């Protein structure tokens, strides 16, 4: 089984619709990072969450880390074609001994139709 | 401020050959991590270097190795290439090793390695 489960695996929405992507871990998350990737390119850092209950927003994207620090959600409001891509959650699952290792979910492919 | 630079962007090799990939981190970043991305396995951690020392290693065979120089630039080497090594290899840098430090990793555009 995946150490980090992302859902859904893919999402097709009409421009202007809201959407949510979830990232669930069976272990406590010491840091949760959201990235966006265009196919075949590098990952673009979106947001970092560390504290239980923390919520951050940037433009139309909001990310939350639940109180138990085992699940995070990424919410996009009024989606646009520019939001299309692959969204990945990456987690620090061991705290101070992770030494540069992030564990990633399998990604969510987002398609936004104009 | 320049981002993470990886060279080359594309590489084609044959089985049995070896390859060296290069990564220049963001200026001031001392931690460099390497990942392999494939459609089947997703993103998998290879290793991390900080101050020229390998501090963490993923579950990959010894054919995969790396090093970091005093200017924080890093290289990874894969020897005796196999078909299964075809992948996008991504390098990421951060100010300090991720893990309690609250420092995010910033990624390069990767090197696409194809093995024939």
């Amino acid at each position: 089984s995946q150490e980090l489960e992302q859902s859904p695996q893919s999402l097709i929405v009409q421009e202007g619709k809201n959407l949510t992507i979830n990232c669930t871990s069976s272990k406590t998350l010491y840091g949760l990072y959201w990235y966006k990737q265009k196919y075949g390119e590098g990952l673009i850092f979106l947001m970092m969450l560390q504290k239980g209950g923390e919520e951050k927003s940037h433009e139309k994207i909001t990310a939350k880390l639940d109180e138990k620090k085992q699940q995070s959600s990424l919410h996009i409001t009024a989606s646009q074609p520019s939001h299309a891509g692959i969204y990945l959650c990456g987690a620090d699952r061991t705290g101070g001994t992770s030494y540069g290792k992030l564990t990633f979910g399998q990604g969510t492919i987002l398609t936004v139709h104009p | 401020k320049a981002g993470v630079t990886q060279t080359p962007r594309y590489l084609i090799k044959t089985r049995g050959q070896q390859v060296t990939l290069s990564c220049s981190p963001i200026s001031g970043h001392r931690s460099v991590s390497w990942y392999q991305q494939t459609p089947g396995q997703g993103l998998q951690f290879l290793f991390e270097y900080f101050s020229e020392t390998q501090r963490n290693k993923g579950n990959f065979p010894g054919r995969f190795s790396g090093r970091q120089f005093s200017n924080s630039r890093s290289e990874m080497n894969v020897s005796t290439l196999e078909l299964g090594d075809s992948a996008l290899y991504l390098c990421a840098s951060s100010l300090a090793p991720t893990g309690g430090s609250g420092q995010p990793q910033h990624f390069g555009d990767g090197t696409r390695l194809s093995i024939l």
Side-chain angles (χ1 to χ4, degrees):
Chain A
S1 63
Q2 292 285 340
E3 293 185 46
L4 274 185
E5 292 279 350
Q6 275 187 245
S7 61
Q9 290 187 11
S10 64
L11 200 48
I12 301 173
V13 300
Q14 205 67 33
E15 182 177 1
K17 296 295 185 183
N18 303 336
L19 62 105
T20 300
I21 299 169
N22 294 302
C23 177
T24 302
S25 170
S26 57
K27 298 181 179 180
T28 298
L29 302 170
Y30 292 90
L32 193 289
Y33 304 80
W34 283 101
Y35 290 88
K36 178 185 174 184
Q37 184 180 30
K38 293 284 191 181
Y39 180 76
E41 298 180 5
L43 280 63
I44 300 168
F45 171 68
L46 295 174
M47 273 172 280
M48 172 181 70
L49 304 163
Q50 288 189 294
K51 301 174 184 176
E54 188 173 15
E55 179 176 323
K56 288 187 177 178
S57 295
H58 177 67
E59 297 182 341
K60 295 184 178 180
I61 301 176
T62 300
K64 301 177 186 179
L65 182 62
D66 77 355
E67 291 289 345
K68 293 183 178 179
K69 296 175 64 176
Q70 289 190 283
Q71 184 174 42
S72 178
S73 60
L74 185 83
H75 184 78
I76 298 177
T77 303
S79 58
Q80 301 170 351
S82 60
H83 287 128
I86 304 168
Y87 288 81
L88 292 140
C89 62
D92 172 1
R93 304 176 84 239
T94 56
T97 59
S98 62
Y99 296 128
K101 177 180 179 179
L102 291 181
T103 301
F104 284 89
Q106 75 273 31
T108 295
I109 302 171
L110 173 63
T111 304
V112 181
H113 286 309
Chain B
K1 197 172 189 180
V4 177
T5 303
Q6 291 189 246
T7 56
R9 284 296 312 277
Y10 304 93
L11 208 46
I12 299 174
K13 292 286 186 179
T14 57
R15 281 180 296 175
Q17 287 187 310
Q18 74 166 16
V19 67
T20 299
L21 311 181
S22 179
C23 173
S24 293
I26 292 171
S27 178
H29 285 194
R30 297 172 62 193
S31 171
V32 174
S33 295
W34 288 89
Y35 294 86
Q36 181 196 64
Q37 187 177 33
T38 59
Q41 299 297 318
L43 263 169
Q44 292 190 298
F45 173 78
L46 280 158
F47 30 66
E48 187 263 0
Y49 286 87
F50 182 78
S51 293
E52 302 178 64
T53 301
Q54 185 183 91
R55 292 160 61 91
N56 202 355
K57 190 177 193 304
N59 189 25
F60 279 83
R63 300 185 297 105
F64 291 81
S65 63
R67 59 178 175 169
Q68 186 181 36
F69 302 95
S70 58
N71 61 359
S72 294
R73 190 177 71 84
S74 178
E75 290 180 346
M76 69 163 280
N77 183 277
V78 187
S79 62
T80 318
L81 287 165
E82 300 177 358
L83 291 177
D85 297 334
S86 294
L88 180 65
Y89 289 89
L90 292 161
C91 164
S93 75
S94 65
L95 277 171
T98 301
S101 67
Q103 298 294 335
Q105 293 182 357
H106 296 273
F107 285 77
D109 282 335
T111 293
R112 171 73 63 184
L113 176 63
S114 298
I115 311 301
L116 303 179

